[in-house]
Amino acid sequence: AETKLAPTDEGAVFHYRMTSQKLCEMDVTFMPDKAPPNIRPTATQILLLGTAAFWGSAFVFSKVAEDSVPPLVAAFLRFGLAALLGVVIILIRKLRDANYSATPKKAWFDTMLLGIVGVTGYNVFFFLGLALSQASDGSMIIPTMSPAITVIFAALFLKDKFRIQQIIGLCVTLFGSMIFFSAVTLLRTANPHQRILGDMLFLVAAAFWAVNTLLSKRTTSKTDPFLATTYAMVFGSIVLGLAALPQLLMVHWTVLGWRFWTDEGYLALLPSVLANWFYYLGVQRIGPARTSVYMYFVPVSSLILSALVLGETLTAAQFVGAILMMIGVWMINRRKRSTIPAPEVHGDLARSRRG
């Protein structure tokens, strides 16, 4: 499906890289695959590796946040803070450039819908899944299953045509997911049914993100992706706050120490704001095709951090299923090389922010 994405989460942005069928779907035409002569490729590669690490870490540190507060409260605080940071950046840009449009103008309704689906809907099931299952499970299920679900939804509702390679890729992805989920049910743990329920919630979150991706095509054709994602976080965090209100009233705020607020600040600033800016810089400097390769490191970084921080590991069967799912996603989104040269770049390429 030819989709645009206003990213609102780590799984989201990774998802966009893996599902977009165009070279780039922002408010520019196309971006060059070669870095400008005055940009050092090594610096760009470091930024992109950092981006993958930040998005992968969001699964882990969101799980850490849930040790102190209920799931919906953790989601609300993360995206409420991220929305606040995004608004501050927009105001700074407006002060520096009086001609800069600080609102989505004709895309208010579309942006609100993205917030409800991509921020509220996605994160309700994401954080509830984290409460029941492992961060390592979520880091494999959401980034790999959401592209497959998007392709299916696009075929069902937008009448997009399947290519043979996509059909094979879907079969490989679904087979890998069957192995992954079957391995979870066979685990000898205190409550394997709770973990499989959490994994099912991750799957629902992936479906929400697939819907968000399809909806975002119209939104990002009307406004700057950074504006769309920031205001989507604003609307989404408001709804999250209303949903979390009963839990918010039960939180003992005075016992939350600096470690908790450092964790929430990290989640808001790095995975939710800066990582998306780094990604767009990568697209600007080395092109979308080469930049998207780095997004395959998102599950890898999350699995490593899950082991180091949470002590979580995948079983051998889960690992095999995860590899098959990633191969399937690669097949779904692999496209033929185009011989058409890229046109000149237009517009502001440094626009930031799914996150």
Side-chain angles (χ1 to χ4, degrees):
E2 296 185 352
T3 59
K4 291 183 181 179
L5 176 63
T8 51
D9 193 74
E10 61 288 339
V13 181
F14 173 84
H15 172 71
Y16 163 65
R17 322 310 163 211
M18 316 303 282
T19 57
S20 176
Q21 297 299 310
K22 288 186 178 180
L23 285 178
C24 184
E25 290 283 7
M26 296 192 296
D27 65 332
V28 295
T29 50
F30 286 86
M31 298 183 180
D33 274 331
K34 293 184 179 180
N38 60 331
I39 297 295
R40 295 180 61 183
T42 303
T44 302
Q45 292 165 3
I46 292 173
L47 288 179
L48 291 173
L49 287 173
T51 297
F54 292 149
W55 282 329
S57 70
F59 289 91
V60 177
F61 292 109
S62 294
K63 179 76 171 180
V64 172
E66 289 189 350
D67 290 338
S68 301
V69 295
L72 294 182
V73 174
F76 167 67
L77 291 176
R78 174 186 171 181
F79 284 93
L81 290 172
L84 181 61
L85 289 171
V87 170
V88 169
I89 292 173
I90 290 174
L91 292 176
I92 292 174
R93 295 180 68 179
K94 183 65 176 180
L95 291 174
R96 295 177 60 183
D97 181 6
N99 294 322
Y100 175 69
S101 176
T103 63
K105 294 183 178 180
K106 297 181 179 180
W108 282 108
F109 176 79
D110 302 271
T111 304
M112 185 182 301
L113 190 60
L114 286 182
I116 294 173
V117 175
V119 177
T120 305
Y122 169 82
N123 283 287
V124 164
F125 289 98
F126 169 68
F127 276 87
L128 290 177
L130 278 179
L132 299 174
S133 186
Q134 295 191 164
S136 55
D137 287 10
S139 68
M140 289 307 311
I141 294 169
I142 293 176
T144 55
M145 292 304 298
S146 52
I149 296 171
T150 299
V151 171
I152 294 173
F153 283 176
L156 291 175
F157 303 113
L158 302 182
K159 307 304 180 183
D160 284 0
K161 295 181 179 180
F162 280 122
R163 290 180 285 113
I164 295 298
Q165 181 175 283
Q166 286 182 312
I167 295 175
I168 297 173
L170 279 172
C171 292
V172 172
T173 300
L174 294 176
F175 180 64
S177 66
M178 290 175 60
I179 295 176
F180 189 94
F181 289 119
S182 298
V184 173
T185 61
L186 297 175
L187 287 174
R188 295 181 179 179
T189 59
N191 196 348
H193 299 294
Q194 176 177 298
R195 183 170 173 181
I196 195 66
L197 177 59
D199 287 353
M200 292 296 104
L201 292 174
F202 286 142
L203 193 59
V204 176
F208 262 90
W209 197 257
V211 174
N212 179 77
T213 302
L214 298 177
L215 292 174
S216 63
K217 177 180 180 180
R218 183 174 61 179
T219 308
T220 51
S221 66
K222 297 179 180 179
T223 188
D224 169 11
F226 183 69
L227 289 176
T229 54
T230 297
Y231 284 100
M233 285 192 294
V234 171
F235 292 126
S237 60
I238 290 173
V239 180
L240 277 174
L242 294 175
L245 186 58
Q247 296 180 352
L248 283 167
L249 298 175
M250 297 172 60
V251 174
H252 299 288
W253 298 99
T254 56
V255 302
L256 298 177
W258 65 270
R259 295 180 186 275
F260 171 79
W261 291 112
T262 300
D263 180 73
E264 286 290 338
Y266 170 86
L267 288 170
L269 178 61
L270 297 179
S272 302
V273 178
L274 289 185
N276 294 287
W277 179 46
F278 292 165
Y279 177 82
Y280 289 130
L281 289 177
V283 173
Q284 175 190 2
R285 295 176 179 181
I286 66 175
R290 292 171 61 191
T291 300
S292 65
V293 173
Y294 289 86
M295 298 307 102
Y296 286 95
F297 290 101
V298 172
V300 176
S301 66
S302 183
L303 289 176
I304 294 173
L305 283 171
S306 294
L308 294 176
V309 177
L310 303 173
E312 298 178 355
T313 57
L314 296 181
T315 65
Q318 282 181 295
F319 184 76
V320 171
I323 293 297
L324 287 174
M325 287 192 289
M326 293 187 70
I327 292 174
V329 170
W330 175 78
M331 294 180 67
I332 290 171
N333 296 283
R334 184 174 179 269
R335 54 179 176 264
K336 295 180 180 179
R337 290 182 177 272
S338 175
T339 57
I340 301 175
E344 291 184 0
V345 181
H346 301 285
D348 178 9
L349 301 181
R351 292 179 178 171
S352 320
R353 179 141 235 253
R354 139 139 314 119

